[in-house]
Amino acid sequence: MERITETLTILTEADKEAGDLPKVSEDELAVGKKRLYIESYGCQMNYSDSEIVAAVMRNAGFATTSTAEEADVIFLNTCAIRDNAEQKVRNRLKQLNGLKKRRPELLVGMLGCMAERLKAKLLEEEKIVDIVAGPDAYRDIPKLVEEAESGQKAVNVFLSREETYADISPIRLNSNGVTAFISIMRGCDNMCSFCVVPYTRGRERSRDPHSIVREARDLFEAGYREVTLLGQNVDSYKWTPEGSTETVTFAQLLESVARVSPDLRIRFSTSHPKDITDEVLYTMAKFDNICKYIHLPAQSGNSRILKLMNRTYDREWYLRKIDRIRAVLGDDCGISHDMIAGFCSETEEEHQDTLSLMEYARYDYGYMFAYSERPGTPAAKKYADDIPYDVKLRRLNEIIALQQRLSLERNRRHIGKVHRVLIEGTSKRSEDFLCGRNDQNKMVVFPKGRYAKGDYVNVLVTDCTAATLLGETVES
Ligand code: SAH
Ligand code: SF4
Ligand code: F3S
């Protein structure tokens, strides 16, 4: 399962172009300080959380290091979304065993969703682990480290209804200095039947909008030019100030962040098809600096399966959302999806509905997975995981092949057109090329010329692959 679901995602090529996601933390001069090494797995929220953990640990006197070998404390910020995500972490723990044998005083902590799912059981299953901390327990980490230093195993997996870490200034790990994530909410109140997230991240809660806008402004002043507002379901963001009855919606938050500067690009993820409103689409249309790109996971193109998944919309509703996006934001608006192949009882015809929905939506990208049953979820309790592995795999590969074709078709539309690109860095393929994203989140590669990271440039697209646009800079 590992190879299929993790490596065949269409976006991987573009992501590589942008540089690996922040896998390890920054180095710094740390004379006399203890060193922390953090490795992150899973979604952007986990990467963002690692930056909060680094800030908490820095306040406790730890410096960060980018090599596990140098660390006094190693944290793995883990994901539990599919079985293979957990296997990856277990394999990594095996690798770390050697280090721990050589240096028994080395502390290993498990953070994030797998830690929350397995709780103290992890300590029994993985002897190398000293600390287990769930996503809402990160303020407590220095105390847990102290406990572990004194020889006890330390666990905090308490889930909070309030914690948003709003006052903590994240330490940007492995940052390109141009793009950054801002968490705007935590948890999830949707109960998609296949999904472990409500159990690992708890109830949904939104963060104070002032702290979000402040963080965006600080990033802009520090030279950043793009922020991605993160939440499992950003469209259900809501904040009611104390003593007030007026609620700040996601559309209003988006507008406030967009007003920080016209030169600060705004992205957001993830949108739930049932919650994204016209107000959000109109706000996107109103501001040039809100990127015209929406990640709108479908999960399936068949209404019966969507009902079993408890997604609360059906095929028709989803298709009308796509129509609405195209009507308000035009045909060029980038749209991507998540899709699950081989959910419980999915028939061949129902799988075909997924393919036809994809054709209709003409997605730019996709993140595609074989269904992986997660213990304790409604689907695991109620439905049999009855699609044979080879059938899941074949369906997944059909979905992926179709997405490859759609991505290529969508990218070809841009050939001959000029795109505004925010430069993120040097292309991984060659020092002589730069790369950055256009409005629709497509990676664009072009010769370096006199430009540098953080500049906006106009690029005429001359060629493309399914994952990347290629071009040359032109004067505006
Ligand atoms: N909050 C986001 C998704 C978060 S999880 C949303 O609602 O869209 C990211 C993706 O992982 C999901 O969209 C889904 O496609 C996939 N996923 C979640 N649970 C899964 C499971 N049990 N098996 C396979 N894929 C799963
Ligand atoms: Fe999981 Fe559904 Fe919540 Fe997304 S919206 S995190 S898929 S429960
Ligand atoms: Fe994984 Fe947790 Fe994100 S399960 S996908 S790290 S919310």
Side-chain angles (χ1 to χ4, degrees), residues 206-246:
S206 298
R207 175 178 166 192
D208 182 339
H210 296 105
S211 74
I212 297 169
V213 173
R214 197 181 323 120
E215 190 171 331
R217 195 174 298 123
D218 289 350
L219 284 164
F220 183 73
E221 278 162 14
Y224 287 80
R225 291 293 172 263
E226 183 182 298
V227 294
T228 302
L229 308 181
L230 292 182
Q232 291 301 346
N233 182 7
V234 288
D235 303 283
S236 66
Y237 176 90
K238 53 178 175 304
W239 176 265
T240 314
E242 253 179 53
S244 164
T245 47
E246 296 225 341

Side-chain angles (χ1 to χ4, degrees), residues 188 190 192 194-195 197-198 232 272 311:
C188 183
N190 295 313
C192 302
F194 52 80
C195 185
V197 171
Q232 291 301 346
H272 194 297
R311 288 290 287 182

Side-chain angles (χ1 to χ4, degrees), residues 167-297:
D167 56 315
I168 295 180
S169 262
I171 290 178
R172 306 291 162 185
L173 298 173
N174 253 25
S175 165
N176 59 12
V178 180
T179 60
F181 299 132
I182 302 181
S183 287
I184 63 163
M185 58 207 293
R186 301 183 71 81
C188 183
D189 280 353
N190 295 313
M191 287 297 271
C192 302
S193 63
F194 52 80
C195 185
V196 79
V197 171
Y199 307 93
T200 62
R201 292 198 159 248
R203 299 302 300 267
E204 181 186 289
R205 64 223 100 121
S206 298
R207 175 178 166 192
D208 182 339
H210 296 105
S211 74
I212 297 169
V213 173
R214 197 181 323 120
E215 190 171 331
R217 195 174 298 123
D218 289 350
L219 284 164
F220 183 73
E221 278 162 14
Y224 287 80
R225 291 293 172 263
E226 183 182 298
V227 294
T228 302
L229 308 181
L230 292 182
Q232 291 301 346
N233 182 7
V234 288
D235 303 283
S236 66
Y237 176 90
K238 53 178 175 304
W239 176 265
T240 314
E242 253 179 53
S244 164
T245 47
E246 296 225 341
T247 297
V248 178
T249 63
F250 179 59
Q252 289 161 340
L253 174 73
L254 209 47
E255 169 149 4
S256 308
V257 180
R259 288 192 188 282
V260 165
S261 165
D263 284 332
L264 182 69
R265 271 185 170 179
I266 325 298
R267 299 188 186 279
F268 55 89
S269 186
T270 297
S271 294
H272 194 297
K274 80 171 159 61
D275 292 320
I276 188 165
T277 57
D278 274 4
E279 198 195 351
V280 168
L281 301 182
Y282 291 135
T283 307
M284 290 176 75
K286 189 164 137 196
F287 289 91
D288 281 346
N289 58 331
I290 304 180
C291 292
K292 307 298 176 277
Y293 166 67
I294 299 178
H295 182 54
L296 196 72

Side-chain angles (χ1 to χ4, degrees), residues 41-43 46 78-81 113 196-197 200-201 232:
Y41 297 81
C43 65
N46 248 17
T78 61
C79 173
I81 201 80
C113 293
V196 79
V197 171
T200 62
R201 292 198 159 248
Q232 291 301 346

Side-chain angles (χ1 to χ4, degrees), residues 425-445:
T426 305
S427 165
K428 282 221 154 174
R429 287 167 210 176
S430 160
E431 281 290 308
D432 301 330
F433 286 78
L434 295 171
C435 67
R437 287 172 202 270
N438 72 356
D439 213 17
Q440 294 91 14
N441 207 31
K442 291 180 195 287
M443 188 51 75
V444 187
V445 176

Side-chain angles (χ1 to χ4, degrees), residues 94-108:
K94 284 199 189 85
Q95 288 172 1
L96 294 175
N97 250 327
L99 270 186
K100 180 93 171 176
K101 284 219 174 82
R102 262 176 279 140
R103 289 195 288 122
E105 72 284 3
L106 170 70
L107 296 180
V108 176

